[in-house]
């Protein structure tokens, strides 16, 4: 029973929070699933909740999406996600730079994690430091931003952090940011999950999720839906300054997690 309480609570709060920030559900939920499932099952369970939550977010806030941004940022991101997912197998051969443990929790610092952690750390400064917060990205950067976000989305699932770092700087309203981020996130998720599935089937693997584990996953999905629905009620009261601050803090935490190998 305690497992359901923890999973539902974490899903509820993180899904509600990430409706505003545009990212973070998978990053925050996966370690919690790992408390109750083997790591490979935790990864698969997180993907199920993340995908279902993106579909629900589109039904709730998708109407606010800025379709020029969806096209100019989302399509390059979708294409790059396929490349990133395909590159995952090749890059997995790279040896970690350093390995350590935090209270029996293994951590590995790889070249990709370290590089991405440094990149995301720099983006976090643009949201947290007042004189950098005022800077806006020209829309000419949408193409490279989409490619970068999509590639890492396919490669490691961290597409949301980079996507939000770009979109929060192009001068759109809070509702347009939330709707656009949800739409692009869904597109990238579908691309990377389809690629993963093809690789999975080609390898002749069976499902990593046992029948007895699905009830806890469904509970997490329900918790995430409730979190999004609740957060939607307060969307009109949230300012872009609040979104920038929340995004900056989450970016900083994710950069720290990647740089230290804990995520």
């Amino acid at each position: 029973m305690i497992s359901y309480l923890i999973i539902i609570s974490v899903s509820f709060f993180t899904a509600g929070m990430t409706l505003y920030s545009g990212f973070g559900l998978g990053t925050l939920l996966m370690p919690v699933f790992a408390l109750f499932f083997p790591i490979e099952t935790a990864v698969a369970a997180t993907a199920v909740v993340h995908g279902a939550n993106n579909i629900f977010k589109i039904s709730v806030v998708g109407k606010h999406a800025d379709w020029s941004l969806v096209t100019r940022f989302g399509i390059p991101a979708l294409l790059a996600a396929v490349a990133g997912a395909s590159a995952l197998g090749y890059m997995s051969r790279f040896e970690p730079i350093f390995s350590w443990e935090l209270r029996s929790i293994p951590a590995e610092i790889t070249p990709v994690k370290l590089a991405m952690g440094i990149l995301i750390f720099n983006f976090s400064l643009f949201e947290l430091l007042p004189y950098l917060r005022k800077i806006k990205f020209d829309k000419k950067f949408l193409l490279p931003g989409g490619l970068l976000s999509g590639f890492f989305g396919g490669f490691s699932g961290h597409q949301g952090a980079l996507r939000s770092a770009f979109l929060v700087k192009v001068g759109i309203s809070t509702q347009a940011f939330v709707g656009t981020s949800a739409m692009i996130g869904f597109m990238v998720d579908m691309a990377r999950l389809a690629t993963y599935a093809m690789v999975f089937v080609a390898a002749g693997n069976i499902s990593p999720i046992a029948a007895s584990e699905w009830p806890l996953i469904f509970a997490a999905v329900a918790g995430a839906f409730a979190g999004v629905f609740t957060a939607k009620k307060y969307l009109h009261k949230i300012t872009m300054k609040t979104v920038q601050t929340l995004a900056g803090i989450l970016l900083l935490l994710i950069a720290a997690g990647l740089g230290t190998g804990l995520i």
Side-chain angles (χ1 to χ4, degrees), residues 33-145:
F33 266 129
L35 295 175
F36 308 106
F37 295 155
I39 189 62
E40 64 275 8
T41 303
V43 171
T46 302
V48 171
V49 177
H50 196 273
N53 188 60
N54 267 338
I55 294 173
F56 185 67
K57 281 202 296 186
I58 287 176
S59 70
V60 174
V61 298
K63 62 183 179 182
H64 300 302
D66 183 322
W67 284 98
S68 68
L69 292 178
V70 171
T71 302
R72 296 172 64 181
F73 191 97
I75 292 178
L78 186 153
L79 298 175
V82 176
S86 301
L88 181 59
Y90 172 74
M91 295 294 287
S92 64
R93 304 172 190 173
F94 284 30
E95 293 294 325
I97 299 173
F98 184 70
S99 299
W100 62 291
E101 288 188 358
L102 178 64
R103 294 187 177 183
S104 300
I105 300 175
E108 289 187 342
I109 302 174
T110 65
V112 172
K113 283 185 178 182
L114 185 59
M116 192 171 177
I118 293 171
L119 182 66
I120 291 178
F121 171 77
N122 283 285
F123 274 119
S124 74
L125 299 181
F126 279 85
E127 309 308 330
L128 296 175
L129 299 181
Y131 67 95
L132 291 178
R133 178 179 281 181
K134 297 177 182 178
I135 296 175
K136 300 295 182 183
F137 285 163
D138 191 282
K139 291 190 177 182
K140 67 183 180 182
F141 293 110
L142 289 174
L143 175 59

Side-chain angles (χ1 to χ4, degrees), residues 2-12 14 24-53 208-210 212-224:
I2 188 66
S3 61
Y4 283 88
L5 180 62
I6 293 173
I7 287 291
I8 291 173
S9 298
V10 171
S11 296
F12 177 85
T14 54
L25 176 62
T27 303
L28 298 173
L29 187 59
M30 197 281 285
V32 180
F33 266 129
L35 295 175
F36 308 106
F37 295 155
I39 189 62
E40 64 275 8
T41 303
V43 171
T46 302
V48 171
V49 177
H50 196 273
N53 188 60
I209 302 175
S212 61
E213 294 164 337
W214 279 105
L216 190 58
I217 296 172
F218 289 142
V221 171

